[in-house]
Amino acid sequence: MVRISGIDLQKKKRIEYALTGIYGIGLVSSQQILKKANVNPDLRAYEIEDKDVSLIREIIKTDYQVEGDLRRKVSLNIKRLSEINCIRGRRHRQQLPLRGQRTRTNARARRGPKQTMAGKKK
C-alpha cells in the first residue's frame, strides 16, 4: 500500500496516474515529480520500491502544496472574494458559474436538477 500525503494511492494504476489522486497534483505535475525522482512512470503503484516512495514523498513535501493546505488556501481565497463583494464572490454565494458561462439553458451542475412547475395542467 503506497501512502503519500495522507492518501492511499490505487495499487493497480500506473504510478503517474495514481499520483493524480492527491488533491493538487495533476498529470503534468505527476510526470514532473517522477522525472525528478527518476522513477519509471510505467510501473504500477504496488511495484514501486520504498526508497522511491520516500523520495516522491519528499519532492511533494518540498515543492508542491497539496491536500489540506491547498484546500484551506482555496477556501480562504473564495471567502476573501465573497467578503469584498466582487462579482466572483457574489457568484460563489449564489452558486452560479463565475467565469462568464451561459446560465439560461446550461449550468445544470451548479444550479441543480430541473425544477418542474407545480400545478401545471397536462
Side-chain angles (χ1 to χ4, degrees), residues 31-108:
Q31 291 167 347
Q32 290 171 351
I33 291 166
L34 294 175
K35 189 178 271 188
K36 267 188 199 173
N38 203 14
V39 176
N40 183 6
D42 295 328
L43 291 175
R44 302 286 168 174
Y46 66 89
E47 296 171 338
I48 300 293
E49 297 176 18
D50 291 335
K51 64 180 180 74
D52 293 333
V53 171
S54 61
L55 186 59
I56 290 170
R57 224 179 257 135
E58 283 301 312
I59 292 171
I60 290 174
K61 188 176 181 181
T62 57
D63 298 342
Y64 294 90
Q65 195 171 24
V66 293
E67 284 301 322
D69 296 334
L70 184 60
R71 289 181 201 270
R72 195 173 309 108
K73 182 180 177 182
V74 169
S75 67
L76 287 174
N77 286 341
I78 292 171
K79 186 176 179 185
R80 177 184 53 84
L81 289 171
S82 184
E83 286 173 357
I84 65 174
N85 206 22
C86 70
I87 289 181
R88 280 175 56 201
R90 276 187 264 151
R91 301 291 282 185
H92 268 294
R93 269 185 274 151
Q94 294 170 344
Q95 295 183 340
L96 291 169
L98 37 126
R99 295 188 177 172
Q101 295 94 331
R102 177 184 180 90
T103 56
R104 183 173 178 174
T105 56
N106 295 332
R108 277 287 147 224

Coordinates of all heavy atoms in Angstrom, one line a residue, residues 31-108:
Q31 N 4.0 13.8 -13.7 CA 5.2 13.4 -14.6 C 6.4 14.2 -14.2 O 7.5 13.6 -14.2 CB 4.8 13.7 -16.0 CG 3.7 12.8 -16.6 CD 3.1 13.3 -17.9 OE1 3.3 14.4 -18.3 NE2 2.3 12.4 -18.5
Q32 N 6.3 15.4 -13.8 CA 7.5 16.2 -13.3 C 8.1 15.6 -12.1 O 9.3 15.5 -11.9 CB 7.1 17.6 -13.1 CG 6.8 18.4 -14.4 CD 6.2 19.8 -14.1 OE1 5.9 20.1 -12.9 NE2 6.1 20.6 -15.1
I33 N 7.2 15.2 -11.1 CA 7.7 14.5 -9.9 C 8.4 13.3 -10.2 O 9.5 13.0 -9.6 CB 6.5 14.3 -8.9 CG1 5.9 15.6 -8.4 CG2 6.9 13.4 -7.8 CD1 4.6 15.5 -7.8
L34 N 7.9 12.4 -11.1 CA 8.5 11.1 -11.4 C 9.8 11.3 -12.1 O 10.8 10.6 -11.9 CB 7.6 10.3 -12.2 CG 6.3 9.8 -11.4 CD1 5.4 9.1 -12.4 CD2 6.7 8.9 -10.3
K35 N 9.9 12.4 -12.9 CA 11.2 12.7 -13.6 C 12.2 13.1 -12.6 O 13.4 12.7 -12.7 CB 11.0 13.7 -14.7 CG 12.2 14.0 -15.6 CD 11.9 15.0 -16.6 CE 11.3 14.3 -17.8 NZ 11.1 15.2 -19.0
K36 N 11.9 14.0 -11.7 CA 12.8 14.4 -10.6 C 13.3 13.2 -9.8 O 14.4 13.1 -9.4 CB 12.1 15.4 -9.7 CG 12.4 16.8 -10.1 CD 11.8 17.7 -9.0 CE 11.6 19.1 -9.5 NZ 10.9 20.0 -8.6
A37 N 12.3 12.3 -9.5 CA 12.7 11.2 -8.6 C 13.3 10.1 -9.4 O 13.8 9.1 -8.8 CB 11.4 10.6 -7.9
N38 N 13.4 10.2 -10.7 CA 14.0 9.2 -11.6 C 13.3 7.8 -11.4 O 13.9 6.8 -11.3 CB 15.5 9.1 -11.3 CG 16.2 8.5 -12.5 OD1 15.7 8.4 -13.6 ND2 17.4 8.1 -12.3
V39 N 12.0 7.9 -11.5 CA 11.1 6.7 -11.4 C 10.4 6.4 -12.7 O 10.0 7.4 -13.3 CB 10.1 6.8 -10.3 CG1 9.1 5.7 -10.2 CG2 10.7 7.1 -8.9
N40 N 10.4 5.2 -13.1 CA 9.7 4.9 -14.4 C 8.2 5.1 -14.2 O 7.6 4.4 -13.4 CB 10.0 3.4 -14.7 CG 9.4 3.0 -16.1 OD1 8.9 3.8 -16.8 ND2 9.6 1.7 -16.4
P41 N 7.6 5.9 -15.1 CA 6.1 6.2 -14.9 C 5.3 5.0 -15.4 O 4.1 5.0 -15.1 CB 5.9 7.4 -15.8 CG 7.0 7.4 -16.7 CD 8.2 6.8 -16.1
D42 N 5.8 4.0 -16.0 CA 5.1 2.8 -16.5 C 4.8 1.8 -15.4 O 4.0 0.9 -15.5 CB 5.8 2.1 -17.6 CG 5.8 3.1 -18.9 OD1 4.9 3.9 -19.0 OD2 6.8 3.0 -19.7
L43 N 5.6 1.9 -14.2 CA 5.4 1.0 -13.1 C 4.0 1.2 -12.5 O 3.5 2.3 -12.4 CB 6.5 1.2 -12.1 CG 7.9 0.8 -12.5 CD1 8.9 1.2 -11.4 CD2 8.0 -0.7 -12.8
R44 N 3.5 0.1 -12.0 CA 2.3 0.1 -11.2 C 2.6 0.6 -9.8 O 3.7 0.5 -9.3 CB 1.6 -1.2 -11.1 CG 1.3 -1.8 -12.5 CD 0.1 -1.1 -13.1 NE 0.0 -1.5 -14.5 CZ -1.0 -1.1 -15.3 NH1 -2.0 -0.3 -14.8 NH2 -1.1 -1.4 -16.6
A45 N 1.6 1.1 -9.1 CA 1.9 1.7 -7.8 C 2.4 0.7 -6.8 O 3.2 1.0 -6.0 CB 0.6 2.4 -7.2
Y46 N 1.9 -0.6 -6.9 CA 2.4 -1.6 -5.9 C 3.8 -2.1 -6.3 O 4.4 -2.7 -5.4 CB 1.4 -2.8 -5.9 CG 1.3 -3.6 -7.1 CD1 2.2 -4.7 -7.3 CD2 0.4 -3.3 -8.1 CE1 2.1 -5.4 -8.5 CE2 0.3 -4.0 -9.3 CZ 1.1 -5.1 -9.5 OH 1.0 -5.8 -10.6
E47 N 4.3 -1.8 -7.4 CA 5.7 -2.2 -7.8 C 6.8 -1.2 -7.4 O 7.9 -1.5 -7.5 CB 5.7 -2.4 -9.4 CG 4.8 -3.5 -9.9 CD 4.7 -3.5 -11.4 OE1 5.0 -2.4 -12.0 OE2 4.4 -4.5 -11.9
I48 N 6.4 0.0 -6.9 CA 7.3 1.0 -6.5 C 8.1 0.6 -5.2 O 7.4 0.1 -4.3 CB 6.6 2.3 -6.3 CG1 5.9 2.8 -7.6 CG2 7.6 3.4 -5.9 CD1 6.9 3.1 -8.7
E49 N 9.4 0.8 -5.2 CA 10.1 0.4 -4.0 C 10.0 1.5 -2.9 O 9.6 2.6 -3.2 CB 11.6 0.3 -4.4 CG 11.9 -0.9 -5.4 CD 13.3 -0.9 -5.8 OE1 14.2 -0.3 -5.1 OE2 13.6 -1.5 -6.8
D50 N 10.3 1.1 -1.7 CA 10.1 2.0 -0.6 C 11.0 3.3 -0.7 O 10.6 4.4 -0.3 CB 10.4 1.3 0.8 CG 9.4 0.3 1.1 OD1 8.2 0.4 0.6 OD2 9.7 -0.7 1.8
K51 N 12.2 3.1 -1.2 CA 13.1 4.3 -1.3 C 12.6 5.3 -2.3 O 12.7 6.5 -2.1 CB 14.5 3.9 -1.6 CG 14.7 3.2 -3.0 CD 16.2 2.8 -3.2 CE 16.4 2.2 -4.5 NZ 16.3 3.1 -5.6
D52 N 12.0 4.8 -3.4 CA 11.4 5.6 -4.4 C 10.1 6.4 -3.8 O 9.9 7.5 -4.1 CB 11.0 4.9 -5.6 CG 12.2 4.3 -6.4 OD1 13.3 5.0 -6.3 OD2 12.1 3.3 -7.1
V53 N 9.4 5.6 -3.0 CA 8.2 6.2 -2.4 C 8.6 7.4 -1.5 O 8.0 8.5 -1.5 CB 7.4 5.2 -1.6 CG1 6.3 5.8 -0.8 CG2 6.8 4.2 -2.6
S54 N 9.6 7.1 -0.7 CA 10.1 8.2 0.2 C 10.7 9.4 -0.5 O 10.5 10.5 -0.1 CB 11.1 7.6 1.2 OG 12.3 7.2 0.5
L55 N 11.3 9.1 -1.7 CA 11.8 10.2 -2.5 C 10.7 11.0 -3.1 O 10.7 12.3 -3.1 CB 12.7 9.7 -3.6 CG 13.5 10.7 -4.5 CD1 14.4 11.5 -3.6 CD2 14.3 9.9 -5.5
I56 N 9.7 10.4 -3.6 CA 8.5 11.1 -4.1 C 7.8 11.9 -3.0 O 7.4 13.0 -3.3 CB 7.5 10.0 -4.7 CG1 8.1 9.4 -6.0 CG2 6.2 10.7 -5.0 CD1 7.3 8.3 -6.6
R57 N 7.7 11.3 -1.8 CA 7.1 12.0 -0.7 C 7.8 13.3 -0.4 O 7.2 14.3 -0.2 CB 7.1 11.1 0.5 CG 5.9 11.0 1.3 CD 6.0 10.1 2.5 NE 5.2 8.9 2.2 CZ 5.7 7.7 2.4 NH1 6.9 7.5 3.0 NH2 5.0 6.6 2.1
E58 N 9.2 13.2 -0.4 CA 10.0 14.4 -0.1 C 9.8 15.5 -1.2 O 9.7 16.7 -0.9 CB 11.5 14.0 0.0 CG 11.8 13.3 1.3 CD 11.5 14.2 2.5 OE1 11.9 15.4 2.5 OE2 10.9 13.7 3.5
I59 N 9.8 15.1 -2.4 CA 9.6 16.0 -3.5 C 8.3 16.8 -3.4 O 8.2 18.0 -3.5 CB 9.8 15.3 -4.9 CG1 11.2 14.9 -5.1 CG2 9.3 16.3 -6.0 CD1 11.4 14.0 -6.3
I60 N 7.2 16.0 -3.1 CA 5.9 16.6 -3.0 C 5.9 17.5 -1.8 O 5.3 18.6 -1.8 CB 4.8 15.5 -2.9 CG1 4.7 14.8 -4.2 CG2 3.5 16.1 -2.4 CD1 3.8 13.6 -4.2
K61 N 6.5 17.1 -0.7 CA 6.5 17.9 0.5 C 7.2 19.2 0.4 O 6.8 20.3 0.9 CB 7.2 17.1 1.7 CG 7.0 17.7 3.0 CD 7.6 16.8 4.1 CE 7.5 17.4 5.5 NZ 8.1 16.6 6.5
T62 N 8.3 19.2 -0.4 CA 9.1 20.5 -0.5 C 8.6 21.4 -1.7 O 8.6 22.6 -1.5 CB 10.6 20.1 -0.8 OG1 10.7 19.3 -2.0 CG2 11.2 19.4 0.4
D63 N 8.2 20.8 -2.8 CA 7.9 21.6 -4.0 C 6.4 21.9 -4.2 O 6.1 22.8 -5.0 CB 8.5 20.9 -5.2 CG 10.0 20.8 -5.1 OD1 10.6 21.5 -4.3 OD2 10.6 20.0 -5.9
Y64 N 5.5 21.1 -3.6 CA 4.1 21.3 -4.0 C 3.2 21.5 -2.8 O 3.5 21.0 -1.7 CB 3.6 20.0 -4.7 CG 4.3 19.8 -6.0 CD1 5.4 19.1 -6.2 CD2 3.7 20.3 -7.2 CE1 6.1 18.9 -7.4 CE2 4.3 20.1 -8.4 CZ 5.5 19.4 -8.5 OH 6.1 19.2 -9.7
Q65 N 2.2 22.3 -3.0 CA 1.2 22.5 -1.9 C 0.0 21.6 -2.2 O -0.6 21.7 -3.3 CB 0.8 24.0 -1.9 CG 0.1 24.4 -0.7 CD -0.1 25.9 -0.6 OE1 -0.1 26.5 -1.6 NE2 -0.3 26.4 0.6
V66 N -0.3 20.6 -1.4 CA -1.3 19.6 -1.7 C -2.2 19.4 -0.5 O -2.0 19.9 0.6 CB -0.7 18.3 -2.0 CG1 0.1 18.3 -3.3 CG2 0.2 17.8 -0.9
E67 N -3.3 18.8 -0.7 CA -4.3 18.3 0.2 C -4.8 19.5 1.1 O -5.3 20.5 0.7 CB -3.8 17.1 1.0 CG -3.9 15.8 0.3 CD -5.2 15.4 -0.2 OE1 -6.2 15.6 0.5 OE2 -5.3 14.9 -1.3
G68 N -4.7 19.3 2.5 CA -5.3 20.2 3.4 C -4.9 21.7 3.3 O -5.7 22.6 3.3
D69 N -3.6 21.9 3.1 CA -3.1 23.2 2.9 C -3.7 23.9 1.7 O -4.1 25.1 1.7 CB -1.5 23.2 2.8 CG -0.9 22.7 4.1 OD1 -1.5 22.9 5.1 OD2 0.3 22.2 4.0
L70 N -3.7 23.2 0.6 CA -4.3 23.7 -0.6 C -5.8 24.0 -0.5 O -6.3 25.0 -1.0 CB -3.9 22.8 -1.8 CG -4.4 23.3 -3.2 CD1 -3.7 24.6 -3.5 CD2 -4.0 22.3 -4.3
R71 N -6.5 23.1 0.1 CA -7.9 23.2 0.3 C -8.2 24.5 1.1 O -9.1 25.2 0.8 CB -8.5 22.0 0.9 CG -8.6 20.8 0.0 CD -9.2 19.6 0.8 NE -8.9 18.3 0.2 CZ -9.6 17.7 -0.8 NH1 -10.7 18.3 -1.3 NH2 -9.2 16.6 -1.2
R72 N -7.4 24.6 2.2 CA -7.6 25.8 3.1 C -7.3 27.1 2.3 O -8.0 28.1 2.4 CB -6.6 25.7 4.2 CG -6.9 26.6 5.4 CD -6.0 26.3 6.6 NE -6.0 24.9 7.0 CZ -5.0 24.1 6.8 NH1 -3.8 24.5 6.3 NH2 -5.0 22.8 7.2
K73 N -6.2 27.1 1.5 CA -5.9 28.3 0.7 C -7.0 28.6 -0.3 O -7.4 29.8 -0.4 CB -4.6 28.0 -0.1 CG -4.1 29.2 -0.8 CD -2.8 28.9 -1.6 CE -2.3 30.0 -2.4 NZ -1.1 29.7 -3.2
V74 N -7.6 27.6 -1.0 CA -8.7 27.9 -1.9 C -9.9 28.4 -1.2 O -10.5 29.4 -1.7 CB -9.0 26.6 -2.7 CG1 -10.3 26.7 -3.5 CG2 -7.8 26.2 -3.6
S75 N -10.2 27.8 -0.1 CA -11.4 28.3 0.7 C -11.2 29.7 1.2 O -12.2 30.5 1.2 CB -11.8 27.3 1.8 OG -10.8 27.3 2.8
L76 N -10.0 30.0 1.6 CA -9.8 31.4 2.1 C -9.8 32.4 1.0 O -10.3 33.5 1.1 CB -8.4 31.5 2.8 CG -8.3 30.8 4.2 CD1 -6.9 30.9 4.7 CD2 -9.3 31.5 5.1
N77 N -9.4 32.0 -0.2 CA -9.5 32.9 -1.4 C -10.9 33.1 -1.8 O -11.3 34.3 -2.1 CB -8.7 32.3 -2.6 CG -7.3 32.4 -2.5 OD1 -6.7 33.2 -1.7 ND2 -6.5 31.5 -3.2
I78 N -11.8 32.1 -1.7 CA -13.2 32.2 -2.0 C -13.9 33.1 -1.0 O -14.7 34.0 -1.3 CB -13.9 30.9 -2.1 CG1 -13.4 30.1 -3.4 CG2 -15.4 31.0 -2.2 CD1 -13.8 28.7 -3.5
K79 N -13.5 32.9 0.3 CA -14.1 33.7 1.4 C -13.7 35.2 1.2 O -14.5 36.1 1.4 CB -13.6 33.2 2.7 CG -14.2 33.9 3.9 CD -13.7 33.2 5.2 CE -14.3 33.9 6.4 NZ -13.8 33.4 7.6
R80 N -12.4 35.5 0.8 CA -12.0 36.8 0.6 C -12.8 37.5 -0.5 O -13.2 38.6 -0.4 CB -10.5 36.8 0.2 CG -9.9 38.2 -0.1 CD -8.5 38.1 -0.5 NE -8.2 37.2 -1.6 CZ -8.4 37.5 -2.9 NH1 -8.8 38.7 -3.2 NH2 -8.1 36.6 -3.8
L81 N -13.0 36.8 -1.6 CA -13.7 37.3 -2.8 C -15.2 37.6 -2.3 O -15.7 38.6 -2.7 CB -13.8 36.3 -3.9 CG -12.5 36.1 -4.7 CD1 -12.6 34.9 -5.6 CD2 -12.1 37.3 -5.4
S82 N -15.7 36.8 -1.5 CA -17.1 37.0 -1.0 C -17.2 38.2 -0.1 O -18.1 39.0 -0.2 CB -17.6 35.7 -0.3 OG -18.9 35.8 0.1
E83 N -16.2 38.4 0.8 CA -16.2 39.5 1.7 C -16.0 40.8 1.0 O -16.6 41.8 1.5 CB -15.1 39.3 2.8 CG -15.4 38.2 3.8 CD -14.2 37.9 4.7 OE1 -13.1 38.5 4.5 OE2 -14.4 37.1 5.6
I84 N -15.2 40.9 0.0 CA -15.0 42.2 -0.7 C -16.1 42.5 -1.7 O -16.2 43.5 -2.3 CB -13.6 42.3 -1.4 CG1 -13.5 41.3 -2.5 CG2 -12.5 42.2 -0.4 CD1 -12.2 41.4 -3.3
N85 N -17.1 41.5 -1.8 CA -18.3 41.7 -2.6 C -18.0 41.9 -4.1 O -18.7 42.7 -4.7 CB -19.1 42.8 -2.0 CG -20.6 42.6 -2.3 OD1 -21.0 41.5 -2.6 ND2 -21.4 43.7 -2.3
C86 N -17.0 41.3 -4.6 CA -16.8 41.4 -6.0 C -17.7 40.4 -6.8 O -18.4 39.6 -6.2 CB -15.3 41.1 -6.4 SG -14.8 39.4 -6.2
I87 N -17.7 40.5 -8.1 CA -18.7 39.7 -8.9 C -18.4 38.3 -8.6 O -19.4 37.5 -8.5 CB -18.6 40.1 -10.3 CG1 -19.2 41.5 -10.5 CG2 -19.3 39.1 -11.2 CD1 -19.2 42.0 -11.9
R88 N -17.1 37.8 -8.7 CA -16.9 36.4 -8.5 C -17.3 35.9 -7.1 O -17.8 34.8 -7.0 CB -15.4 36.1 -8.7 CG -15.0 36.1 -10.1 CD -13.5 35.9 -10.3 NE -12.9 34.8 -9.6 CZ -11.7 34.7 -9.3 NH1 -10.8 35.6 -9.6 NH2 -11.2 33.6 -8.7
G89 N -17.2 36.8 -6.1 CA -17.6 36.4 -4.7 C -19.1 36.3 -4.7 O -19.7 35.4 -4.0
R90 N -19.8 37.2 -5.3 CA -21.3 37.1 -5.4 C -21.8 35.9 -6.1 O -22.7 35.2 -5.7 CB -21.9 38.4 -6.0 CG -22.0 39.5 -5.0 CD -22.8 40.7 -5.6 NE -21.8 41.6 -6.1 CZ -21.9 42.4 -7.2 NH1 -23.0 42.4 -7.8 NH2 -20.9 43.2 -7.5
R91 N -21.1 35.5 -7.2 CA -21.5 34.4 -8.0 C -21.2 33.1 -7.1 O -22.0 32.1 -7.2 CB -20.7 34.3 -9.3 CG -20.9 35.5 -10.2 CD -22.3 35.5 -10.8 NE -22.5 34.6 -11.9 CZ -23.6 34.6 -12.6 NH1 -24.6 35.4 -12.4 NH2 -23.7 33.7 -13.6
H92 N -20.2 33.1 -6.4 CA -19.9 31.9 -5.5 C -21.0 31.8 -4.5 O -21.5 30.7 -4.2 CB -18.6 32.1 -4.7 CG -17.4 31.5 -5.4 ND1 -17.3 30.2 -5.6 CD2 -16.3 32.1 -5.9 CE1 -16.1 29.9 -6.2 NE2 -15.5 31.1 -6.5
R93 N -21.4 32.9 -3.9 CA -22.5 32.9 -2.9 C -23.8 32.4 -3.5 O -24.6 31.7 -2.8 CB -22.7 34.3 -2.3 CG -21.9 34.5 -1.0 CD -22.2 35.8 -0.4 NE -21.4 36.8 -1.1 CZ -21.7 38.1 -1.2 NH1 -22.8 38.6 -0.7 NH2 -20.9 38.9 -1.8
Q94 N -24.1 32.8 -4.7 CA -25.4 32.4 -5.4 C -25.3 31.0 -6.0 O -26.2 30.5 -6.5 CB -25.7 33.4 -6.4 CG -26.1 34.8 -5.9 CD -26.2 35.8 -7.0 OE1 -25.7 35.6 -8.2 NE2 -26.8 36.9 -6.7
Q95 N -24.1 30.4 -5.9 CA -23.8 29.1 -6.5 C -24.1 29.1 -8.0 O -24.8 28.2 -8.5 CB -24.6 28.0 -5.8 CG -24.1 27.9 -4.3 CD -24.8 26.8 -3.6 OE1 -25.9 26.3 -4.0 NE2 -24.2 26.3 -2.6
L96 N -23.6 30.1 -8.7 CA -23.8 30.2 -10.1 C -22.4 30.1 -10.8 O -21.4 30.4 -10.1 CB -24.4 31.5 -10.5 CG -25.9 31.6 -10.1 CD1 -26.4 33.1 -10.3 CD2 -26.7 30.7 -10.9
P97 N -22.3 29.8 -12.1 CA -21.0 29.8 -12.7 C -20.4 31.2 -12.7 O -21.1 32.2 -12.8 CB -21.3 29.4 -14.2 CG -22.6 28.8 -14.1 CD -23.3 29.4 -13.0
L98 N -19.0 31.3 -12.5 CA -18.5 32.6 -12.3 C -17.5 33.0 -13.4 O -16.9 34.1 -13.3 CB -17.8 32.7 -11.0 CG -17.0 31.5 -10.4 CD1 -15.6 31.8 -10.1 CD2 -17.8 31.0 -9.2
R99 N -17.3 32.3 -14.4 CA -16.4 32.7 -15.5 C -17.1 33.0 -16.8 O -16.5 32.7 -17.9 CB -15.4 31.5 -15.7 CG -14.5 31.4 -14.4 CD -13.4 30.4 -14.7 NE -12.6 30.3 -13.5 CZ -11.6 29.4 -13.3 NH1 -11.4 28.6 -14.3 NH2 -10.9 29.4 -12.2
G100 N -18.2 33.5 -16.7 CA -18.9 34.0 -18.0 C -19.7 33.0 -18.7 O -20.1 33.3 -19.9
Q101 N -19.9 31.8 -18.1 CA -20.7 30.8 -18.9 C -22.2 31.2 -19.0 O -22.7 31.9 -18.1 CB -20.6 29.4 -18.2 CG -19.2 28.9 -18.2 CD -18.4 29.2 -16.9 OE1 -18.6 30.2 -16.3 NE2 -17.5 28.3 -16.6
R102 N -22.8 30.6 -19.9 CA -24.3 30.8 -20.1 C -25.0 30.1 -19.0 O -24.7 29.0 -18.6 CB -24.6 30.2 -21.5 CG -26.1 30.3 -21.8 CD -26.3 29.5 -23.1 NE -27.7 29.6 -23.5 CZ -28.2 30.5 -24.2 NH1 -27.5 31.5 -24.7 NH2 -29.5 30.5 -24.5
T103 N -26.1 30.8 -18.5 CA -26.8 30.1 -17.4 C -28.3 30.0 -17.7 O -29.0 29.3 -17.0 CB -26.8 31.0 -16.1 OG1 -27.2 32.3 -16.4 CG2 -25.4 31.0 -15.6
R104 N -28.8 30.5 -18.9 CA -30.2 30.4 -19.2 C -30.6 29.0 -19.4 O -31.6 28.5 -19.0 CB -30.5 31.3 -20.4 CG -32.0 31.3 -20.7 CD -32.3 32.3 -21.8 NE -33.7 32.3 -22.1 CZ -34.3 33.1 -23.0 NH1 -33.5 34.1 -23.5 NH2 -35.5 33.0 -23.2
T105 N -29.8 28.2 -20.2 CA -30.2 26.9 -20.5 C -29.2 25.8 -19.9 O -29.6 24.7 -19.6 CB -30.2 26.7 -22.0 OG1 -28.9 27.0 -22.6 CG2 -31.3 27.5 -22.7
N106 N -27.9 26.2 -19.8 CA -27.0 25.2 -19.2 C -26.7 25.4 -17.8 O -27.5 25.9 -17.1 CB -25.7 25.2 -20.1 CG -26.0 24.8 -21.5 OD1 -26.9 24.0 -21.8 ND2 -25.2 25.3 -22.4
A107 N -25.5 25.0 -17.3 CA -25.1 25.2 -15.9 C -25.9 24.3 -14.9 O -26.2 24.7 -13.8 CB -25.2 26.7 -15.5
R108 N -26.3 23.2 -15.4 CA -27.1 22.3 -14.5 C -26.3 21.8 -13.3 O -26.8 21.5 -12.3 CB -27.6 21.0 -15.3 CG -28.8 21.3 -16.1 CD -30.0 21.4 -15.1 NE -31.0 22.3 -15.6 CZ -31.6 23.2 -14.9 NH1 -31.4 23.3 -13.6 NH2 -32.4 24.1 -15.4

